[in-house]
Amino acid sequence: MDFPDRLHAYTTRAETALDALLPSATTRPARIHEAMRYSLQAGGKRLRPVLALATAELTGQPCVDPLPAAVALECIHTYSLIHDDLPCMDNDDFRRGRPTCHKAFDEATALLAGDALLTHAFRLLATQYAANPTLSHALTLELSNAASSEQLIGGQMEDLLAEKKSDATPDQLEFIHLNKTAAMIRASLVMGGLCAGLDAPALDTLRVLGRELGLTFQIIDDILDATADSATLGKTAGKDAKADKTTFVKLHGLDGARRHAREHTDAALAALAQLPGDTAFLRQLVETMLVRKS
Amino acid sequence: MDFPDRLHAYTTRAETALDALLPSATTRPARIHEAMRYSLQAGGKRLRPVLALATAELTGQPCVDPLPAAVALECIHTYSLIHDDLPCMDNDDFRRGRPTCHKAFDEATALLAGDALLTHAFRLLATQYAANPTLSHALTLELSNAASSEQLIGGQMEDLLAEKKSDATPDQLEFIHLNKTAAMIRASLVMGGLCAGLDAPALDTLRVLGRELGLTFQIIDDILDATADSATLGKTAGKDAKADKTTFVKLHGLDGARRHAREHTDAALAALAQLPGDTAFLRQLVETMLVRKS
């Protein structure tokens, strides 16, 4: 399969699993499960599940089913978007071209749906890997660190704090990018690697890859916010400049930001070259991230 | 030790562990860790940790340290209070006689602090029981089920839905009590039992005990809301009647509610009698729950 077909195949597998591994929309109380499904099934790139699935298949050997781990990653990502969109945070009415969860339902339901997706991620790792408690534990350790107050949530908090002052530093921006974005991308790769039974050096290489890919991803996000229109992005564009937010573009200019993104992409490709197995798909995915338009 | 001394000793051990097992208040970003600690250290009965610790020591044999599990339970309980207090939910300004998290900080910080405590619960189970992945997995399974959209969060969602209509049914009220309250009390007992290595029949008995104790606890909560003053409760009293909320008191009257509470307490004591070891402390705790004034 060529790259687009394989990307499509991973995305489809992830979306089928999302549907299968969430409580049905009629499970009592129906409203919370409808809201969880509304946001989880809103589309998007499914980058984190795709990274987990592709990494799990790197060696071409049979591995433990990575789909529950992939779904757990998307549950965490989606909960963070639901809560970020709330009025007390970014106050966004649209996400991926559809009303955000609190607009489609209400604030209280969106709050609880976010809580429920966060909880469901850990529940999935516990229920779906019950036959292999050691793997279940390793996956839970990885995900709970990445999603914690020192990483994902810490990055979000620092982002809020940075918004309140105009003199955010490059150090602060790096903290935000590493934790708000790179941590979960790194966890996606490592959790895929854990399902494949990769050894410690390979897992360490995946961590380096995750960091570099995550930084690329976030710099491109900043560039797109500054240059693309809302229809292409599927979310409100130009928000950063409007909020006078410190971004990579504001600190380094568009050209500087593009140069940094290229450097991190090169570092990601160098890490990839050290991994076992067939890395062609991940290599193309990394290159695609650098030139993405949405 | 008599009952009050032992209760005090368990509470003190739990509070020391809460302090030790949370990131320090200066961990970056400091604001999120200050908010997590503010709410976690606001006092309260520490019922869930106490239940876990007492159950872990039932047999008097050395057991795996139950303190991280006890802290994880309190993290989940506290996150649910922080989110329940938010303006889009109950909109409460005071909790345990102090400003609620969003009043002491701000809404966005309180939202993230709740998310972070929820995540930290699972992180603690993964990091602190890393030497025993099988136990870590069993604890995570128990806690993630209890805190899920089908139990704790489901009960909260059903509670919100019931508030919107005046004809909430006894069946709906039972669903709310079982899931919003009893589920986490049951998980506290079972997680203590898992640390003690209790066998499956004993764990099943703990589940029955948790259900009955949880129902007692919630009925008494409804009675206190109708009869006590805010200063005694440490939170706003009379809110249920003001909101014309369907409670046990509204459905069954004060006498009927008290009779139901007594029946559930008797069922809890009957379950306790089937447990191994010295159940004197838990027996007194169950009796105390029935006559509590706050």
Side-chain angles (χ1 to χ4, degrees):
Chain A
M1 273 195 286
D2 61 4
F3 177 75
D5 287 348
R6 218 168 138 188
L7 181 61
H8 181 71
Y10 283 135
T11 309
T12 305
R13 276 174 62 197
E15 298 203 326
T16 304
L18 286 172
D19 183 49
L21 292 175
L22 228 70
S24 72
T26 56
T27 302
R28 185 174 181 183
R31 188 172 174 83
I32 188 81
H33 298 110
E34 286 163 7
M36 291 164 76
R37 285 176 164 270
Y38 174 84
S39 287
L40 203 53
Q41 296 177 337
K45 286 177 283 293
R46 310 299 189 192
L47 173 63
R48 293 152 195 81
V50 168
L51 288 172
L53 299 182
T55 307
E57 293 182 359
L58 264 184
T59 64
Q61 301 297 312
C63 71
V64 176
D65 184 5
L67 279 167
V71 173
L73 285 155
E74 194 71 1
C75 285
I76 296 283
H77 177 58
T78 304
Y79 114 74
S80 75
L81 299 182
I82 294 175
H83 283 186
D84 283 4
D85 287 337
L86 284 171
C88 70
M89 301 277 285
D90 289 354
N91 193 20
D92 254 316
D93 291 353
F94 289 94
R95 163 80 64 183
R96 293 167 183 160
R98 298 204 310 171
T100 46
C101 193
H102 67 276
K103 297 306 277 186
F105 293 83
D106 56 68
E107 279 186 52
T109 302
L111 173 65
L112 292 177
D115 294 343
L117 285 169
L118 166 49
T119 309
H120 194 64
F122 295 106
R123 190 182 181 205
L124 274 180
L125 298 182
T127 55
Q128 303 297 310
Y129 297 101
N132 190 341
T134 303
L135 176 62
S136 176
H137 169 261
L139 293 168
T140 304
L141 184 63
E142 190 66 31
L143 188 61
S144 63
N145 277 323
S148 74
S149 60
E150 295 179 61
Q151 296 191 43
L152 175 63
I153 299 171
Q156 180 64 31
M157 181 82 247
E158 192 90 11
D159 200 10
L160 284 176
L161 294 170
E163 273 175 29
K164 291 191 178 157
K165 46 182 204 177
S166 52
D167 58 344
T169 61
D171 161 74
Q172 201 167 21
L173 196 63
E174 189 187 35
F175 182 92
I176 294 167
H177 287 190
L178 280 176
N179 291 292
K180 189 174 168 182
T181 308
M184 284 292 294
I185 287 179
R186 188 174 59 222
S188 305
L189 295 162
V190 172
M191 288 169 73
L194 288 168
C195 288
L198 296 188
D199 61 14
L203 294 175
D204 283 344
T205 303
L206 288 172
R207 291 182 194 284
V208 176
L209 171 58
R211 177 197 154 95
E212 301 299 332
L213 178 58
L215 290 173
T216 303
F217 187 86
Q218 186 57 53
I219 294 169
I220 300 296
D221 237 35
D222 285 2
I223 292 173
L224 289 175
D225 183 85
T227 58
D229 59 83
S230 300
T232 309
L233 283 184
K235 61 183 179 184
T236 314
K239 285 193 67 168
D240 296 344
K242 198 173 162 194
D244 195 29
K245 188 170 167 177
T246 303
T247 70
F248 231 82
V249 173
K250 188 175 166 194
L251 275 181
H252 303 280
L254 263 178
D255 285 349
R258 288 201 177 102
R259 194 175 61 248
H260 274 281
R262 179 74 250 176
E263 285 167 9
H264 288 299
T265 297
D266 290 342
L269 293 172
L272 256 176
Q274 297 171 48
L275 284 175
D278 179 3
T279 57
F281 175 81
L282 282 174
R283 208 163 53 235
Q284 287 216 43
L285 189 63
V286 166
E287 290 281 8
T288 303
M289 285 299 113
L290 182 64
V291 296
R292 71 193 174 94
K293 300 291 177 214
S294 67
Chain B
M1 272 196 286
D2 61 4
F3 177 75
D5 287 349
R6 216 167 138 188
L7 182 61
H8 180 71
Y10 284 135
T11 309
T12 305
R13 276 174 60 198
E15 299 202 326
T16 304
L18 286 173
D19 183 49
L21 292 175
L22 228 69
S24 73
T26 57
T27 302
R28 184 174 181 182
R31 188 173 173 83
I32 188 81
H33 297 109
E34 287 163 7
M36 291 164 77
R37 286 177 164 269
Y38 174 83
S39 288
L40 203 54
Q41 296 176 337
K45 287 178 282 292
R46 311 299 190 191
L47 175 62
R48 291 152 196 82
V50 167
L51 287 172
L53 299 181
T55 306
E57 293 181 358
L58 264 182
T59 64
Q61 302 297 313
C63 72
V64 177
D65 184 5
L67 279 167
V71 172
L73 286 155
E74 194 71 0
C75 284
I76 296 283
H77 177 56
T78 304
Y79 114 74
S80 75
L81 299 182
I82 294 175
H83 282 187
D84 283 5
D85 287 337
L86 284 170
C88 71
M89 301 277 284
D90 289 353
N91 193 21
D92 255 315
D93 291 353
F94 289 94
R95 163 79 63 183
R96 294 167 183 162
R98 298 202 312 170
T100 46
C101 192
H102 66 276
K103 297 305 279 187
F105 293 84
D106 56 66
E107 279 185 53
T109 303
L111 173 66
L112 292 176
D115 293 343
L117 285 170
L118 166 49
T119 309
H120 194 63
F122 294 106
R123 189 182 182 205
L124 274 180
L125 297 182
T127 55
Q128 302 298 308
Y129 297 100
N132 190 341
T134 303
L135 176 62
S136 176
H137 170 259
L139 293 168
T140 303
L141 184 63
E142 190 66 31
L143 188 61
S144 63
N145 277 322
S148 75
S149 60
E150 295 179 61
Q151 296 191 42
L152 175 63
I153 299 170
Q156 181 63 32
M157 182 80 247
E158 191 89 14
D159 199 8
L160 284 175
L161 294 170
E163 272 175 30
K164 291 192 178 154
K165 47 184 204 174
S166 52
D167 59 343
T169 61
D171 161 74
Q172 201 167 19
L173 196 63
E174 189 187 35
F175 181 92
I176 294 165
H177 287 191
L178 280 176
N179 291 293
K180 188 175 169 182
T181 309
M184 284 293 293
I185 288 180
R186 188 176 57 222
S188 306
L189 295 163
V190 172
M191 288 168 73
L194 287 168
C195 289
L198 296 188
D199 61 13
L203 294 175
D204 283 344
T205 302
L206 287 172
R207 291 182 194 284
V208 176
L209 171 58
R211 176 197 156 94
E212 300 300 331
L213 178 57
L215 291 173
T216 302
F217 187 87
Q218 186 57 52
I219 295 169
I220 300 296
D221 238 35
D222 286 2
I223 292 173
L224 290 174
D225 183 85
T227 59
D229 58 82
S230 301
T232 309
L233 283 183
K235 61 182 179 184
T236 315
K239 285 193 66 167
D240 295 343
K242 198 172 161 194
D244 195 30
K245 188 170 166 178
T246 303
T247 69
F248 232 82
V249 173
K250 188 176 167 195
L251 275 181
H252 302 281
L254 263 179
D255 285 349
R258 289 200 176 101
R259 194 175 61 247
H260 274 281
R262 180 74 248 177
E263 286 168 8
H264 287 299
T265 297
D266 289 343
L269 293 171
L272 257 177
Q274 296 173 48
L275 285 175
D278 179 2
T279 57
F281 175 80
L282 282 174
R283 211 164 51 237
Q284 287 217 44
L285 188 64
V286 167
E287 289 282 7
T288 303
M289 286 299 114
L290 183 64
V291 296
R292 71 192 173 95
K293 299 292 177 209
S294 67

